[in-house]
């Protein structure tokens, strides 16, 4: 085994406390700020989503409600698309789209309709999102294991069992 000698230009001294703090801050800014931003946007979006879904007038046609909501969402996304550092234009992105992009649109519409109808039939806002997300997670387990080759630790399995038990407790009246 050969030991590599440090080159004369390389600084082998321990980094100062300030340099170490800069490295940590740089790492957190680079890797974690995107996570927290995405997490925060999702939580705020879900909160607004469920409060809005619950407040939609019952006499309104659910398909028109979703059409209006998607028009607002499309305008919102279109406006922000110009601030995102993407590499492709709208046309290039459309041309590069595969089946998943179009299925995503259909899936989003099904989610919208499902929650709208759930709230109209009396589902409680404190239960609907948790119950449907837990049920979707349970259904996605075999997909993750067999299609995407995910691996589950013992801790994951225990968490999933708790999800199933929690789901059973949530949906029982």
């Amino acid at each position: 085994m050969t030991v590599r000698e440090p080159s004369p230009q390389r600084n082998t001294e321990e980094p100062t406390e300030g340099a170490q703090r800069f490295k940590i801050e740089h790492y957190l800014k680079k890797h974690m700020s995107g996570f927290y931003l995405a997490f925060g946007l999702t939580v705020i979006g879900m909160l607004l989503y469920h409060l809005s879904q619950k407040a939609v007038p019952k006499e309104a046609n659910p398909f028109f409600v979703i059409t209006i909501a998607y028009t607002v969402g499309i305008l919102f996304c279109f406006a922000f698309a110009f601030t995102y550092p993407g590499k492709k234009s709208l046309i290039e992105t459309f041309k590069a789209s595969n089946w998943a992009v179009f299925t995503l649109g259909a899936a989003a519409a099904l989610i919208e309709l499902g929650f709208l109808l759930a709230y109209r039939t009396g589902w409680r806002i404190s239960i609907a999102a948790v119950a449907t997300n837990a049920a979707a997670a349970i259904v996605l387990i075999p997909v993750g294991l067999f299609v995407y080759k995910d691996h589950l630790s013992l801790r994951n399995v225990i968490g999933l069992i708790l999800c199933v038990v929690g789901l059973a407790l949530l949906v029982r009246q």
Side-chain angles (χ1 to χ4, degrees):
M1 181 167 114
T2 60
V3 177
R4 185 175 170 179
E5 295 291 326
S7 65
Q9 296 94 2
R10 198 167 150 194
N11 185 358
T12 58
E13 295 177 20
E14 288 293 315
T16 65
E17 183 180 328
Q20 188 68 26
R21 188 172 59 240
F22 176 76
K23 281 183 178 180
I24 293 169
E25 288 173 0
H26 178 71
Y27 175 83
L28 291 175
K29 205 178 274 189
K30 182 177 178 185
H31 297 285
M32 298 302 282
S33 64
F35 170 81
Y36 290 118
L37 176 64
F39 185 80
L41 288 173
T42 303
V43 170
I44 291 167
M46 290 290 281
L47 175 67
L48 292 172
Y49 172 86
H50 286 285
L51 291 173
S52 300
Q53 279 277 31
K54 188 79 170 159
V56 169
K58 288 189 178 201
E59 60 278 355
N61 181 322
F63 295 99
F64 290 145
V65 167
I66 294 169
T67 301
I68 294 166
Y70 272 52
T71 302
V72 171
I74 288 167
L75 293 173
F76 188 82
C77 287
F78 190 74
F80 279 98
F82 297 104
T83 65
Y84 191 80
K87 296 177 180 164
K88 295 186 179 210
S89 68
L90 174 62
I91 302 299
E92 291 170 323
T93 301
F94 187 80
K95 287 179 181 177
S97 295
N98 65 0
W99 63 269
V101 175
F102 301 102
T103 305
L104 180 62
L110 291 174
I111 292 167
E112 304 290 350
L113 185 61
F115 275 116
L116 191 59
L117 296 176
Y119 289 136
R120 285 187 177 185
T121 59
W123 277 56
R124 293 178 294 171
I125 198 167
S126 58
I127 303 255
V130 175
T132 55
N133 282 317
I138 291 166
V139 172
L140 285 171
I141 292 169
V143 174
L145 291 174
F146 299 117
V147 176
Y148 293 100
K149 308 295 184 218
D150 290 348
H151 299 282
L152 296 176
S153 68
L154 179 60
R155 179 183 291 172
N156 297 144
V157 171
I158 292 169
L160 292 169
I161 290 168
L162 291 174
C163 272
V164 172
V165 171
L167 180 60
L169 291 172
L170 278 172
V171 296
R172 292 189 79 178
Q173 295 294 343

